[in-house]
Every structure is written in structure tokens, then in C-alpha cells.
Amino acid sequence: MYLAGLAPGADLDHRGTPFTRNLLNELLGTLSDPATGRHRLGRVRLDEARFNGDARFAEMDFTGDCSFGGARFDGGADFGGTVFEGDFGFGDAITARDAWFDDVEIRGTAWFHRARVDGDLGFSGVRISRSAVFRGLGVGGDAMFSRTEFHGPAVFSEADITGRAWFDGTLFKKDSQFDKARLARTAWFDVAEFEGEAGFDSTVTGEDVSFLGTRFARGAWFPGATFGGDVEFGANEIRGDVTFRKATFLRTAVLGPLVFPGLLDLSDAEFQSAVTIEAAAKTVRCRRTRWGSAAALRIRHADVDVSDAVLQFPVSVAGRSRPFVADGEEVPEQGLSDPRVRVTSLRGADAAYLVLTDVDLTGCLFVETVHLDQLKLDGRCPLASTPSGVRRVGRRPVRWTRRRTLAEEHHWRADRQGAEGWTGAPDGTDVWEPAVLAPVYRQLRKALEDNKDEPGAADFYYGEMEMRRHDRDSSPGERALLTLYWAVSGYGLRAVRALGWLLLAVVATVLAMMLWGLPQDAPEPVSTGKVADGRITMTTDKPDPVNPRGSYGSRLSTERFEKSLRVVINSVVFRSSGQELTTAGTYVEMTSRVVEPALLGLAALAVRSRVKR
């Protein structure tokens, strides 16, 4: 009687009812619409119903809300091609075998919270117009969400998929959440579109996860996630930032290539196996990142921050000269124009295993870096340079010696000395005094010397001496000695300066010799004899040189110039000329024999420091 009274579009309420396969078929057979050939149901409530064997609800139309909350399917469940005009509830439902929802359309909200599918879950080609809640979903086999459209928020928080997961070609129109989800095997999100925020907070993936061609309109968030395999990107369109803060990479060999004009944040992440990271971004942040194995960062365009990173194995940061390649084609770099890689900070990082190759260190902060003397620099790694031309320090004009400098020295000279042309410290950046900067220069010098790059280390030695000279905690005597060393030869590194002083000393010595050093005339020896007891005794005396007389102009003759020049040349090579000199000339020669060879030696030292291999 009950079945006879049913017609297409009828409401059903069989909560808690056990259904055999035959009973279910008889019930649904009364609801077939001859006009469409499909079953048409109204509002359906089958909460906690039990279905013995496979249950087929495929190719049906539900015109009202439909709920299977807490239902039990002893076999499989097939809803393929069904249309739900209202909400659809499958929360807490359990299927002992596969569940298929392929090509389903749900025009209301879809509820799959805490549902459990012991077999595979087919959810491909589904369209859900409003929210979709899969919180706590459990799938014992594979889960296929390929080409599904989520037009409202999609929540997969705490979902547990034991097999593989396909989300390729899936559309997420609003925010999507995979917080604390577990994807035990490989997961594919290729060519998926996330038009809202894509949140993968604390998500766990057991194997590889692929985002090839995936579009992220508002960035992607993976904080606290755990990755058991590779994380592959390529040919992506990403607007916004991508963060892996506090993520753990267990067996990840490849991360990237990530190409987008935003922030790639790897702060507090942990890499437990050897990994290659490929990224072209505006900023790559690796603050407090822990590298438990070897790593190679291949970067383009980005400002790279490695502050407080922990490196237990060799880690290289290299600037890549050419765009990354995906599927045999170069990945477009929209929104990125400057291919240089700029390392902005090594503060607090352990540089013992760090290798920097072809990166810009112009604005890099080195103070507080651990084991900086073991840092290895390869390729072209430019640092900040001194200002060019004539500049002012206060009211005093200064022309700075051309050399490589630390960004921290720029900050100190600009903020403490008021020196023109030097770069001031950005907001929130400490300004360090020379006493702090001198050891930094010393460690960088040692790092280059250990790598057999002594010419490259020369600028760091110059910087170290400059900081010692300006250190107000040093004794006045030490600062005066360093000032003399700087003025005479640029700390033994400026050959032109030493040669200039040598030329000046030679000219001054020649002039002094001509004016006061050479006697009026060469003294002639006078011999006298005495005869006594048939013996002749001869005595030869040489009179003391007579100081020159006459005007200064008369002393500047060609003859006196030639004699003075011979004296000076012998003094330069630390030899005595044998020339008769006045008392003043003797002291001038003694002084020149000390000063001029020293200046020549400093010039030779400066040349050697630039050409030594």
C-alpha cells in the first residue's frame, strides 16, 4: 500500500530503516519519471539507514534537501550523475566498499564531514554550488576529485586519504582548507585553480605532491605541513605569497620550480634529506630554516634572507642565469624584471657549510654570523662600494678609496659620521660601531684567503684596518700609527699612494741635498811630511766639508743636482753613496735611507697583494 501511494517527486523519510537491495529497488522503482526516464525524488531523509549490499542512486534528481547522515552501506554506493537541487548530507556515513559521485551536481551545500569510505572515492566532474564540507573525511583507497568545481568554500580539514588523491583540473572558487589533512600517498593538484586562499596548514603528505600548472589567485599556505616526497611546481600562475613556515620535508628531493612575483617563505622549515629548491620570486625568506642534509638553492630575481638558519650539511645559494624549464619550455617570469639574486642577511646563521655563488651581497648584513671565516664565495659576488667622486664628511671634502665594503659600514658612516654618498640603515636595522665591524672584515678576509683568493681579500683587510683606525676604544697611539699607515700607503694596499710619497720624498731629499747637504767644494786632502833621524813621516788630513755659500738659486746647479740624485738613488736601495756631505746632508741621507726604502717596500707589497695567486 505504501509503495503504491508513491509518485515521482515524493518526499521520503526512512531514517534508521534497513534496506535490502530488492527493497531499495522497489522503493526507487515507484519514483521513476516517465518524461525523463530518471528517478525524481523530493525531500529525502535517510539518516542512519542501513543498506545491505550495493546501493545505487545514480542518474536521479533530488528536488529537495537530501540527507544520508550516519547511514551505513554494507557494499558500495553509487550516486553518479545525480542532481541535488538542495543540500546534500553524507556526514558520518560509512561505506564498506567504493563510493562514486562522479558527475554529480549539488546546487546547495554538500556535507561529507566524518564520512568514511573503506574503498575508493570517485568525485570527479562534480559541481557544488555552495559550501562543501569534507572535514574528517576518511578514504581507505584512492580519492578522485578531478575536474570538480567547488563554487563555495571547500573544507577538507582533517581528511584522511589512505590511497592516492587526484585534484587535477579542480576549481576552487572560494577559500579552500586542507588543514591537518593526511594524504598518505601521491597527490596531484595539476592544473587546479584556487581562486580563493589555498590553506594547507599542518597537512601531511606521505609521498610526492604535484602542483604543475596550478593557479593560485591569492597565494598558497603550507605552514606546519609535512611532506614525505617531492613538492613539484611548474608553469604556475601565482598571485600572492607562498609560505612553508614550520613545514617539515622528510624525503623531499625537489621543491619547485616556483615562479611568481611574491614571497616564498621557508622560515622555520626543516629539510631532513638532500633537496634542490628552484625559485624565481621577489623574496625568498629562510629565517631559522634547518638544513639536516645537503641543499642546493637555485634562485632568480629574489632577495634572499638566511638569518639564523642552521646548516648541518653543505648548502649552496646560487643565482641562476637562465629561466627555469618545465615540460621542455622556459617558464614565463611575469612581474619579475631584475634577474639578480641579492642575499640580504646572514645574521645569526652558521656559515661553516654555506656556499654563495653569483649572488649580490651589496646589502647583505654579516654581523653576528657564526663561522663567517668559513664562508665560501664563488663566481661573482659583488659587495657595496664606496661612494665615487668627491663627497663631504661634515664640511670636509673627501675622495674615498675605491673598495668593497660591508653594508654595515655604509650604515655607520651615514648615520654616525654623516658622510655623504653612504647608504643609511633601513628602519629597524641596528647600526654597529667599528669595534664590531673590524672582526667581521677579518673573518671575511680569512675566508677568501683560505680559498686562495688573496687579491680579493685585500679589500677586507683594508676595511678591517679602517674600522680599527676609527675604533674609539683603541689607544691614541694605535690609532695614530694606523692613521700614518693609512696615509702613507693605504695599509700597504695602495701602490700609487706609496709611490707618490716616495716620489715626494725623493724630490725633497734631492732639494735638501742641493741646498744644504752638499759642501761648497769637494774638500781636497792635504799631506805634510816630517824628517827625523833619517826617516820621513807623511800625514794626510782631509778638512771638514764647508757648508755651501751664496744664494739658494746659485746652489741649484746641474752639477749639484747630479750629485744629489746619486745620493738619493743609493738611499732608495739602502746603500751609501760615498759622497762627502755636510752635517745637515749626513742627517738627510740617514733619514732617506730609512724612509725611502720603506716606501718602496710598501709599494711593492701593495702590488703583490693585488697579483698574488
Side-chain angles (χ1 to χ4, degrees), residues 23-43:
L23 178 59
L24 178 61
N25 290 337
E26 290 179 11
L27 175 64
L28 297 177
T30 63
L31 304 174
S32 179
D33 187 348
T36 62
R38 293 165 59 96
H39 296 83
R40 181 163 56 87
L41 294 80
R43 185 171 183 268

Side-chain angles (χ1 to χ4, degrees), residues 198-407:
F200 292 82
D201 302 20
S202 303
T203 299
V204 177
T205 64
E207 296 179 358
D208 299 344
V209 57
S210 177
F211 293 94
L212 292 174
T214 305
R215 177 176 176 267
F216 297 94
R218 298 179 60 185
W221 305 85
F222 299 87
T226 300
F227 298 96
D230 294 344
V231 185
E232 189 172 4
F233 290 83
N236 302 102
E237 180 184 345
I238 302 176
R239 300 176 184 176
D241 301 332
V242 177
T243 178
F244 291 90
R245 289 180 61 89
K246 297 185 178 180
T248 301
F249 298 84
L250 300 178
R251 296 174 298 277
T252 302
V254 176
L255 173 59
L258 277 159
V259 180
F260 65 103
L263 165 68
L264 172 59
D265 195 352
L266 298 171
S267 300
D268 299 295
E270 180 178 1
F271 293 85
Q272 297 184 6
S273 63
V275 63
T276 297
I277 299 174
E278 298 179 331
K282 287 189 175 180
T283 304
V284 175
R285 190 176 295 161
C286 300
R287 296 175 182 171
R288 298 174 299 278
T289 304
R290 181 179 294 274
W291 311 94
S293 188
L297 280 68
R298 303 291 177 256
I299 310 296
R300 282 177 57 80
H301 301 281
D303 293 339
V304 182
D305 185 350
V306 198
S307 302
D308 301 308
V310 179
L311 287 68
Q312 298 173 323
F313 287 85
V315 174
S316 65
V317 179
R320 184 182 170 95
S321 60
R322 298 183 59 83
F324 295 106
V325 175
D327 294 331
E329 297 183 358
E330 291 187 349
V331 179
E333 298 179 333
Q334 297 178 356
L336 299 170
S337 57
D338 187 354
R340 291 180 303 164
V341 176
R342 296 162 294 276
V343 176
T344 60
S345 177
L346 299 179
R347 293 181 58 177
D350 188 341
Y353 293 106
L354 183 59
V355 181
L356 302 180
T357 304
D358 294 326
V359 297
D360 190 336
L361 301 175
T362 300
C364 185
L365 303 179
F366 288 95
V367 174
E368 297 180 344
T369 303
V370 181
H371 296 137
L372 186 57
D373 59 326
Q374 299 179 44
L375 173 67
K376 186 174 182 181
L377 301 178
D378 287 338
R380 185 176 182 274
C381 297
L383 282 91
S385 182
T386 54
S388 59
V390 178
R391 305 290 181 140
R392 289 188 174 274
V393 178
R395 297 182 178 179
R396 177 169 54 94
V398 174
R399 186 180 184 88
W400 301 99
T401 300
R402 197 72 175 171
R403 62 183 174 89
R404 293 186 296 174
T405 64
L406 297 180

Side-chain angles (χ1 to χ4, degrees), residues 11-93:
D11 295 340
L12 297 180
D13 186 349
H14 293 286
R15 287 173 285 181
T17 301
F19 284 91
T20 63
R21 183 179 301 179
N22 291 334
L23 178 59
L24 178 61
N25 290 337
E26 290 179 11
L27 175 64
L28 297 177
T30 63
L31 304 174
S32 179
D33 187 348
T36 62
R38 293 165 59 96
H39 296 83
R40 181 163 56 87
L41 294 80
R43 185 171 183 268
V44 175
R45 302 194 65 180
L46 293 172
D47 304 302
E48 299 184 4
R50 182 150 193 164
F51 299 91
N52 183 15
D54 296 336
R56 178 176 170 80
F57 293 89
E59 304 294 336
M60 298 184 181
D61 297 319
F62 289 80
T63 59
D65 294 342
C66 178
S67 176
F68 285 82
R72 299 293 184 270
F73 296 84
D74 294 338
D78 184 2
F79 290 83
T82 296
V83 176
F84 297 93
E85 296 284 351
D87 296 343
F88 175 69
F90 206 74
D92 295 302

